[in-house]
Amino acid sequence: MLPRFPAVTRSLSLAALLIAGPAAALELPLPPPGEDIVGQVHVIKAKYEDTFADIGTANDLGYLEMIAANPGVDPWLPGAGTEIILPTRFVLPPGPREGIVINLAEYRMYYFPKGESVVYTFPLGIGREGWGSPIANTRITAKTPNPTWTPPASIRKEHAEDGDILPTVVPAGPDNPLGPFKFTLGVPGYLIHGSNKKFGIGMRTSHGCFRMFNNNVLELSKMVPVGTPVRIINEPYKFGISAGKVYLEAHTPLDDQGNPSVVDKHTAVINALLKREDLANNLRMNWDMVRDVVAAEDGMPVEIAVPVENQGAAPMVTSIPPELQ
């Protein structure tokens, strides 16, 4: 039986992390050619007053990914001494490792700076019900510090129905929902920007734009030039190789409107595997583990297979079992 949980690194407490304030971006070295996994899972012990929002802000993690990695733990009062898993190990998104890649299903951005062997990754808030974020290939078309906000008529109407009358223009400052910086995308009407709210990063809370922690968007603004390609995908199941083993990372699937999907999850994970032509027909697969990972949706890479050529034996399973078809 393959191990269910990856190795973790333990820290004594969250206190040392919080002393320095919000964390900088997770900067991780790229893996060797042919490999796909970066980072390491950590475990900390919470203090009495900690919440998942505090822990996420301090460690560049979104709210929902903290909940997924820590089932059964109260996100508002974990309790002093409670061990909290920080899901800071990632299978890199499929496709070219260039520019910005946003994966809606994991509420996360990856930035691959040109000519560097590192990746930066940030949690994101994405479009909520009725305001889904787009799936697209686009670019950064403009960068604007201290932006003003001109709410579109649709948003002004929505707020007015709740008795909140928005001005035609919101000036730059602490009350501006775009925060201290915005990136304009080539998809009309969509931005990557900061926020005037601490809560909502790593959730479905926006009107379709991509929200970041303010310290993150300011850090990104120093690294990303105009013209940078941006690829927006929706991949809940990511397969990756590390040290000769195959891993699966599973998230809750989202539909085209950004809501949890009722898609057949087993079919979806098989389709994701079939896209990896280098893996699909050459694995010693543990299908019981695959089922467990798909059911857990905890966002952490778990070993599920070994390539046949790496272990010198006939494949355990070379075809999809009937119950997963």
Side-chain angles (χ1 to χ4, degrees):
M1 175 66 70
L2 299 174
R4 169 67 183 87
F5 296 103
V8 297
T9 301
R10 295 180 179 272
S11 304
L12 293 178
S13 73
L14 181 61
L17 297 176
L18 290 180
I19 288 173
L26 285 171
E27 178 185 346
L28 303 169
L30 288 178
E35 299 203 353
D36 308 284
I37 296 180
V38 296
Q40 185 60 272
V41 174
H42 295 267
V43 175
I44 62 169
K45 288 187 176 179
K47 299 179 298 178
Y48 175 77
E49 65 272 23
D50 290 332
T51 68
F52 278 9
D54 297 326
I55 297 170
T57 301
N59 293 280
D60 269 330
L61 292 167
Y63 186 71
L64 291 181
E65 62 186 330
M66 287 291 300
I67 289 177
N70 294 276
V73 179
D74 185 342
W76 294 107
L77 193 63
T82 299
E83 290 194 338
I84 306 296
I85 294 173
L86 304 180
T88 48
R89 193 182 195 206
F90 311 95
V91 175
L92 293 173
R97 294 174 187 173
E98 60 181 30
I100 289 173
V101 181
I102 293 172
N103 188 7
L104 301 179
E106 58 179 314
Y107 307 91
R108 183 159 286 277
M109 170 197 293
Y110 297 85
Y111 173 52
F112 301 91
K114 189 174 183 179
E116 299 182 36
S117 296
V118 299
V119 60
Y120 297 89
T121 182
F122 309 85
L124 296 175
I126 68 171
R128 58 181 171 83
E129 182 177 359
W131 298 87
S133 299
I135 296 173
N137 290 318
T138 184
R139 291 185 177 273
I140 301 293
T141 59
K143 297 169 58 174
T144 309
N146 301 312
T148 59
W149 180 46
T150 304
S154 56
I155 294 179
R156 293 181 64 195
K157 180 176 182 293
E158 179 189 63
H159 279 252
E161 289 172 351
D162 293 331
D164 179 21
I165 307 302
L166 292 177
T168 55
V169 177
V170 178
D175 296 326
N176 190 307
L178 300 184
F181 201 94
K182 75 174 184 181
F183 295 88
T184 304
L185 299 178
V187 180
Y190 290 94
L191 308 169
I192 300 170
H193 61 81
S195 177
N196 64 338
K197 298 178 180 178
K198 294 182 179 180
F199 190 73
I201 307 303
M203 299 176 65
R204 300 183 301 277
T205 54
S206 78
H207 287 90
C209 291
F210 302 102
R211 293 183 184 176
M212 303 181 69
F213 290 127
N214 286 339
N215 61 298
N216 283 169
V217 78
L218 289 173
E219 185 172 7
L220 191 67
S221 72
K222 300 173 184 176
M223 298 188 288
V224 174
V226 171
T228 297
V230 178
R231 186 163 55 94
I232 306 169
I233 62 176
N234 184 12
E235 297 287 348
Y237 305 114
K238 298 186 296 178
F239 288 88
I241 297 175
S242 180
K245 299 175 182 178
V246 181
Y247 291 77
L248 171 62
E249 178 184 318
H251 301 265
T252 302
L254 301 177
D255 63 20
D256 292 342
Q257 285 71 49
N259 302 316
S261 175
V262 294
V263 66
D264 184 324
K265 296 179 180 180
H266 290 132
T267 299
V269 77
I270 294 302
N271 288 338
L273 174 60
L274 293 176
K275 292 178 183 177
R276 288 290 303 259
E277 296 180 359
D278 56 327
L279 300 178
N281 299 311
N282 200 29
L283 294 181
R284 183 181 176 91
M285 182 74 75
N286 186 329
W287 289 110
D288 288 335
M289 188 63 70
V290 171
R291 278 185 283 264
D292 288 347
V293 175
V294 172
E297 295 179 347
D298 61 15
M300 292 187 289
V302 178
E303 182 187 340
I304 52 92
V306 178
V308 172
E309 68 269 20
N310 287 351
Q311 41 81 51
M316 184 195 319
V317 177
T318 55
S319 60
I320 302 167
E323 63 270 26
L324 292 183
Q325 292 181 351

